[in-house]
């Protein structure tokens, strides 16, 4: 394959006119000036440029214009300087490497669906140009004596064709390994992040910036803004800060321990997730269905999830609990792309109300109380205190203890999760090239499903990550949405385990 | 519910490997439970401790490798630590009297090999310094403690191990210069 590309590029250069050959020589001289990394990585980067040039040539774009789009100046100084930066993990991220095990890692995935199939050559170049703008993503996870940390790595970050189960654990152990994965399939670009790097909001900024750069390479001009970053602007310290440290601590601190929640009854699969399901619907229809119950979209969906979850369990008593991540940026505005979210649990007994109206109003009340600024500050204070108490314990002691506690408590206090990223703002120039987006949460230990919602334009995508083959939950959700006047189309994967 | 498939079939190879590792773990767990029980029943020397350390060595190096920092230096040092633990346990429970000479010689060899692994790929391996630093630290501490403990006897192996460790530490500091301090700051941060 590599040899094939090299041969094709050699053949291509031999066919060029004298003038074009000069252009290309100057172009690669400039590439050399911008790329002072290890030879093996440099060769890979150069090969990316060559493949993109061949793609443009096949597409009939004149060489001069192709080289303008691929200008090596877009690499900036990232590959011309040795790695210096390092980032201590933010307070929320500290638990992820401590609790991970073989085959289990906190990974989430954000995808964008374009109106045309993805061109891998251009996506690779888009990543090569975008990565410098996100220095905390251009890192590898390392072990310190007391805590893990992120160490800058200067390598070519690669794009792959999708070939594995979504949210599969990343291989972060090797020297210079990347902690995120960019994959493509048909018209979909997906980025899977290890949670140590970022949360959904930060990940979305990365994905949008990557997609915008990709579209620029295809010839579409996208204006940069607050949520679509120009890869050629300088990173700012605030964008990579541990924003938890800026939040004033509250008087009280609430703990994380709760009673175990009722789980859905399906048998847990060995391959996790065993299926991904996207329920796509009209955002306006969803909103008007929610407003019929005088509730928000989140409360409405939580109510439906409670009903569907109840159908999917054989238990008759006990409490169901749904974890709802809360974006702390709405209380403490921050431009950080690191983790800056907490969570709350919405709990309801199984043996009470069953109608959407009363459930939604109860959930609304709980959300106002449990996802309030005060409640979140208390949880954050508890996190800060825990981190401060543990900071002088060597990692070698913290790690087994964390695994033991995490393995014992795990996610048993929740039955399910709903993470709502809200409406994703897109510049009009970008929106016309984007069909939809989706947000897939990683796997759980005992929960049989995790759900996430993201809205782009008038398309809301409710994604279900399944850990059991039992289809009751998603079928009930589908039926409930339809009954409430929200037409749904279902997409997703085959069952990975039969 | 009709579902439009929008995901490719995953590569079976990856799934099969994970399953195979899961299956292989069970004989290990079985042996880890049976050996101590058998040892207790039959009595005699505590050979099962040697078996347990051997099982742990294979487990940690082959079946459940490190999830972070899996590199040539860290894996080599891990192997050496396991070997030393095994040698000490054999000395303590099966055939006593030789580990105090043999373990420092093994550690000396490990320091020398680690130095070669480190300095022959400095650019990349300087990111993997923590296991090397820990080995150096334990070699110095072990050497000092051993020499203090057996002051009357000639323990040349302990002295050689200590001197080699100090030399290697100095070589790292000189070669990396200010980067050495920066590396220490990263590795020992408490933020």
């Amino acid at each position: 394959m590599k040899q094939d590309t090299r041969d094709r590029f050699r053949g291509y250069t031999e066919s060029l006119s004298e003038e074009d050959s000069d252009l290309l020589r100057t172009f690669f001289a400039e590439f050399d000036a911008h790329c002072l990394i290890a030879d093996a990585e440099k060769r890979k980067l150069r090969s990316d440029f060559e493949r993109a040039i061949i793609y443009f040539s096949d597409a009939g774009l004149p060489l001069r214009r192709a080289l303008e789009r691929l200008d090596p100046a877009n690499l900036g100084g990232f590959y011309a300087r040795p790695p210096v930066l390092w980032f201590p993990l933010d307070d929320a991220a500290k638990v992820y490497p401590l609790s991970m095990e073989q085959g289990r890692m906190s990974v989430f995935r954000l995808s964008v669906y374009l109106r045309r199939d993805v061109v891998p050559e251009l996506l690779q170049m888009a990543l090569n140009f975008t990565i410098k703008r996100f220095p905390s993503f251009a890192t590898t996870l390392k072990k310190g004596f007391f805590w893990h940390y992120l160490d800058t790595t200067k390598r070519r970050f690669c794009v792959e064709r999708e070939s594995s189960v979504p949210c599969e654990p990343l291989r972060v152990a090797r020297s210079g390994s990347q902690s995120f994965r960019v994959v493509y399939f048909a018209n979909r670009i997906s980025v899977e992040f290890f949670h140590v790097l970022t949360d959904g909001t930060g990940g979305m900024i990365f994905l949008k910036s990557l997609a915008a750069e990709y579209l620029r390479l295809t010839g579409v001009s996208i204006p940069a803004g607050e949520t679509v970053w120009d890869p050629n602007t300088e990173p700012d310290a605030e964008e990579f800060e541990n924003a938890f440290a800026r939040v004033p601590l509250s008087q009280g601190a609430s703990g994380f321990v709760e009673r175990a929640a009722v789980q859905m009854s399906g048998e847990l699969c060995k391959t996790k997730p065993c299926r991904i399901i996207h329920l796509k619907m009209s955002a306006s229809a969803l909103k008007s269905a929610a407003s019929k119950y005088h509730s928000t979209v989140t409360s409405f969906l939580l109510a439906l999830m409670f009903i569907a979850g109840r159908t999917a369990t054989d238990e008759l008593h006990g409490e169901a609990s749904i974890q709802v991540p809360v974006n702390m940026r709405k209380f403490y505005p921050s431009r950080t792309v690191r983790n800056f979210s907490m969570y709350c649990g919405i709990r309801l007994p199984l043996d009470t109300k069953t109608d959407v109206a009363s459930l939604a109003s109860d959930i609304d009340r709980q959300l106002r109380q449990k996802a309030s600024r005060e409640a979140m500050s208390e949880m954050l204070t508890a996190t800060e205190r825990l981190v401060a108490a543990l900071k002088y314990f060597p990692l070698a002691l913290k790690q087994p203890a964390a695994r033991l506690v995490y393995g014992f408590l795990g996610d048993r206090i929740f039955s399910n999760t709903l993470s709502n990223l809200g409406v994703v703002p897109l510049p009009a120039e970008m929106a016309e090239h984007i069909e939809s987006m989706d947000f897939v949460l990683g796997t759980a230990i005992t929960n049989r499903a995790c759900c996430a919602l993201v809205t782009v334009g008038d398309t809301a995508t409710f994604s279900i990550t399944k850990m059991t083959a039992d289809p009751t939950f998603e079928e009930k959700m589908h039926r409930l949405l339809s009954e409430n006047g929200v037409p749904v189309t279902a997409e997703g994967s085959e069952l990975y385990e039969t | 519910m009709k579902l439009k498939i929008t995901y490719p079939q995953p590569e079976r190879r990856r799934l099969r490997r994970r399953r195979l590792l899961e299956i292989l773990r069970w004989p290990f767990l079985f042996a880890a439970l049976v050996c101590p029980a058998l040892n207790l029943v039959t009595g005699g020397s505590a050979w099962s401790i040697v078996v347990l350390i051997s099982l742990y060595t294979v487990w940690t190096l082959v079946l459940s490798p490190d999830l972070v920092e899996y590199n040539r230096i860290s894996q080599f040092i891990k192997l050496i630590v396991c070997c030393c633990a095994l040698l000490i346990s054999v000395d303590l429970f099966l055939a006593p009297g030789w580990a105090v000479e043999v373990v420092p010689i093994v550690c000396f060899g490990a320091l020398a090999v680690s130095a070669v692994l480190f300095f022959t790929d400095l650019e990349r391996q300087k990111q993997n310094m923590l296991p090397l630093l820990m080995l150096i630290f334990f070699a110095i501490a072990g050497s000092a403690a051993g020499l203090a403990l057996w002051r009357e006897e000639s323990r040349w192996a302990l002295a050689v191990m200590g001197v080699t460790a100090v030399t290697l530490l100095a070589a790292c500091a000189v070669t990396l210069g200010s980067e050495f301090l920066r590396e220490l700051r990263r590795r020992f941060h408490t933020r």
Side-chain angles (χ1 to χ4, degrees), chain A residues 9-81:
Chain A
F9 191 71
R10 198 174 302 126
Y12 169 73
T13 51
E14 281 164 7
S15 70
L16 289 176
S17 66
E18 191 62 32
E19 189 191 351
D20 281 351
S21 294
D22 279 348
L23 264 179
L24 206 57
R25 249 193 308 278
T26 316
F27 178 85
F28 278 110
E30 203 180 331
F31 166 78
D32 287 339
H34 282 87
C35 195
L36 305 174
I37 51 172
D39 282 349
E41 296 298 315
K42 186 176 174 176
R43 272 196 297 275
K44 287 182 203 163
L45 267 175
R46 189 185 160 106
S47 176
D48 292 339
F49 276 88
E50 292 174 355
R51 271 197 289 266
I53 290 169
I54 291 174
Y55 167 78
F56 280 134
S57 159
D58 291 347
L61 192 73
L63 181 65
R64 185 178 293 275
R65 287 188 53 204
L67 298 188
E68 274 167 17
R69 286 190 199 172
L70 296 170
D71 189 351
N74 287 314
L75 293 173
F78 182 75
Y79 290 113
R81 297 190 285 259

Side-chain angles (χ1 to χ4, degrees), chain B residues 111 135-140 159-170:
Chain B
L111 284 166
L135 180 69
I136 290 172
F137 171 77
F138 282 113
I140 293 172
V160 169
M161 178 178 78
V163 170
T164 312
V166 171
T167 311
L168 184 53
L169 185 65

Side-chain angles (χ1 to χ4, degrees), chain A residues 415-426:
Chain A
S415 324
N416 203 331
T417 301
L418 175 64
S419 185
N420 184 359
L421 268 188
V423 180
V424 178
L426 288 174

Side-chain angles (χ1 to χ4, degrees), chain A residues 295-307 322 324 344-348 353 355-371 418:
Chain A
S295 75
T296 61
V297 166
T298 305
S299 301
F300 172 64
L301 281 174
L302 282 168
L304 301 191
M305 284 169 67
F306 269 108
I307 297 171
I322 302 183
V324 181
C344 68
I346 304 298
R347 297 182 81 89
L348 286 170
K353 311 154 238 185
D355 63 299
V356 180
S358 51
L359 280 174
S361 93
D362 201 350
I363 291 164
D364 255 337
R365 183 186 53 75
Q366 284 198 44
L367 271 178
R368 269 198 303 277
Q369 186 193 334
K370 294 182 176 176
L418 175 64

Side-chain angles (χ1 to χ4, degrees), chain B:
Chain B
M1 186 175 76
K2 274 199 179 136
L3 194 85
K4 182 184 166 198
I5 301 299
T6 53
Y7 285 80
Q9 273 292 334
E11 283 172 12
R12 288 277 149 207
R13 188 168 45 87
R14 292 190 192 193
L15 300 179
R16 271 201 294 266
R17 187 177 175 276
R18 203 186 300 163
R19 296 263 170 78
L20 183 71
L21 284 177
E22 273 167 19
I23 293 165
L24 278 175
R25 284 175 195 189
W26 292 109
F28 271 77
L29 282 174
F30 178 73
L33 288 172
V34 165
C35 288
L38 210 63
N39 197 179
L40 278 175
V41 171
T42 56
S45 57
W47 55 267
S48 62
I49 293 178
V50 179
V51 174
L52 285 178
I53 295 174
S54 310
L55 286 172
Y56 175 76
T57 303
V58 179
W59 175 285
T60 191
L61 287 167
V62 182
L63 293 180
S64 182
D66 289 341
L67 296 168
V68 183
E69 296 250 9
Y70 184 91
N71 52 68
R72 62 190 203 177
I73 293 183
S74 73
Q75 292 314 289
F76 174 70
I77 291 175
K78 201 171 170 181
L79 173 69
I80 292 301
V81 170
C82 288
C83 288
C84 288
L86 205 54
L87 290 172
I88 292 168
S89 66
V90 171
D91 181 288
L92 285 177
F93 303 112
L94 299 178
W98 46 269
V100 73
E101 293 293 346
V102 173
V103 170
I105 294 171
V106 171
C107 287
F108 160 75
L111 284 166
V113 174
S114 302
V116 171
L117 293 176
F118 184 70
F119 288 109
T120 51
D121 184 20
L122 193 62
E123 267 315 300
R124 193 191 310 196
Q125 297 306 325
K126 69 185 175 194
Q127 273 198 327
N128 304 329
M129 246 179 80
L130 187 66
L132 180 60
L133 286 176
M134 298 311 292
L135 180 69
I136 290 172
F137 171 77
F138 282 113
I140 293 172
S143 170
L147 289 172
L149 213 62
W150 293 291
R151 220 175 304 162
E152 311 303 317
E153 300 162 59
S154 152
R155 295 294 183 194
W156 62 269
L158 282 168
V160 169
M161 178 178 78
V163 170
T164 312
V166 171
T167 311
L168 184 53
L169 185 65
C172 289
V174 169
T175 314
L176 295 175
S178 60
E179 270 187 74
F180 183 69
L181 288 177
R182 197 159 50 211
E183 198 59 41
L184 288 185
R185 263 202 301 275
R186 287 177 212 197
R187 294 291 183 174
F188 292 92
H189 82 275
T190 56
R191 282 190 281 156

Side-chain angles (χ1 to χ4, degrees), chain A residues 236-417:
Chain A
D236 186 76
E238 193 199 335
E239 295 161 357
F240 308 99
E241 67 175 358
N242 174 11
F244 290 100
R246 280 206 296 129
V247 178
L249 298 185
S250 68
Q251 294 296 316
S254 69
F256 309 97
V257 183
E258 277 270 16
R259 286 186 306 279
V262 169
Q263 301 297 328
M264 293 180 219
S265 301
E267 195 181 339
L268 282 167
C269 285
K270 286 199 174 71
T271 304
K272 289 183 188 172
C274 65
R275 187 169 221 177
I276 301 293
I277 295 153
H278 302 295
L279 302 180
K280 294 195 171 186
M281 59 202 102
S282 154
S284 45
L286 181 64
K287 204 172 171 192
S288 64
S291 61
K292 264 190 253 166
Y293 299 103
H294 309 290
S295 75
T296 61
V297 166
T298 305
S299 301
F300 172 64
L301 281 174
L302 282 168
L304 301 191
M305 284 169 67
F306 269 108
I307 297 171
R310 212 165 121 151
T311 315
T313 183
D314 293 332
E315 301 286 338
L316 299 172
H317 306 287
E319 272 187 329
S321 174
I322 302 183
Q323 183 184 27
V324 181
V326 179
N327 186 358
M328 295 298 286
R329 292 168 185 86
K330 68 179 179 186
F331 303 125
Y332 304 98
S334 169
R335 299 186 64 225
T336 189
V337 288
R338 311 282 300 279
N339 286 288
F340 195 34
S341 46
M342 294 264 103
Y343 63 84
C344 68
I346 304 298
R347 297 182 81 89
L348 286 170
L350 286 187
D351 45 8
T352 52
K353 311 154 238 185
T354 52
D355 63 299
V356 180
S358 51
L359 280 174
S361 93
D362 201 350
I363 291 164
D364 255 337
R365 183 186 53 75
Q366 284 198 44
L367 271 178
R368 269 198 303 277
Q369 186 193 334
K370 294 182 176 176
S372 65
R373 184 191 179 109
E374 293 69 33
M376 288 300 103
S377 294
E378 284 184 7
M379 181 176 250
L380 193 142
T381 303
T383 311
E384 291 267 315
R385 284 187 187 161
L386 185 66
V387 168
L390 294 174
K391 71 178 183 180
Y392 292 117
F393 284 92
L395 200 56
L397 296 180
K398 274 187 279 222
Q399 184 122 22
R403 275 190 197 158
L404 204 70
V405 172
Y406 198 76
F408 181 68
L409 290 175
D411 52 9
R412 272 174 233 177
I413 59 170
F414 298 112
S415 324
N416 203 331
T417 301

